[in-house]
């Protein structure tokens, strides 16, 4: 049975005064049977949003990775990167690098874990963190793990070896393109 995702956001800092603070957005899926001990954190690639792991179209639940994992008793957190999806879009997004992106994500995760500890979503104690990421999300997740060592397991689903460009002109052009949906 599909669960309704919980909208989660937090105003966080990433260590760049010109960007701090930013509101980070995420969706949390808690199993209908109650929260389990594992939290799976999912990051999409560049220009994608958390809907990558939970698409929004008719009958999407049958395609939803988040719903499938939740159906197996796993809590799932889908995070929108800074500047993408429902997270804040800073005017100077070009200042965001791997380390600051990791710091923003980690600050949001710490907020979510504190809310679990406070019993907001039930009595579960999160004892295992699993990170799963696609493309640029993999690069961010790897940097996140290198800096903060939060995850017990990682699944890195590839990324470009030529790097990415957070130039705001590129992001603006992408957002203005026909058919683009954050």
């Amino acid at each position: 049975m599909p669960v309704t995702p919980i909208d989660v956001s937090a105003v966080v800092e990433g260590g760049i005064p010109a960007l701090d603070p930013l509101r980070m957005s995420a969706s949390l899926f808690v199993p209908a049977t109650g929260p389990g001990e594992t939290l799976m954190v999912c990051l999409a690639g560049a220009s994608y949003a958390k809907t990558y792991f939970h698409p929004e179209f008719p009958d999407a639940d049958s395609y939803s990775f988040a719903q499938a994992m939740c159906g197996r008793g796993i809590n799932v957190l889908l995070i929108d990167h800074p500047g993408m999806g429902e997270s804040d879009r800073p005017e100077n997004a070009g200042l965001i690098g791997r380390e600051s992106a990791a710091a923003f994500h980690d600050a949001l995760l710490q907020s979510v874990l504190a809310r679990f500890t406070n019993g907001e979503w039930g009595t579960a104690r999160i004892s295992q963190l699993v990170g799963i990421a696609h493309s640029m999300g993999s690069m961010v997740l790897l940097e996140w793990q290198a800096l903060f060592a939060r995850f017990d397991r990682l699944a890195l689903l590839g990324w470009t070896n030529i790097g990415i460009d957070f130039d705001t002109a590129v992001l603006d052009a992408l957002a203005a393109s026909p058919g683009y949906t954050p």
Side-chain angles (χ1 to χ4, degrees), residues 96-132:
I96 300 172
R98 289 188 313 246
E99 289 181 2
S100 59
F104 283 121
H105 286 78
D106 192 65
L108 175 66
L109 175 62
Q110 295 311 307
S111 171
V112 168
L113 291 174
R115 291 169 73 177
F116 265 108
T117 299
N118 292 336
E120 186 168 336
W121 299 301
T123 58
R125 185 179 142 280
I126 301 300
S127 61
Q128 179 173 249
L129 289 174
V130 176
I132 295 183

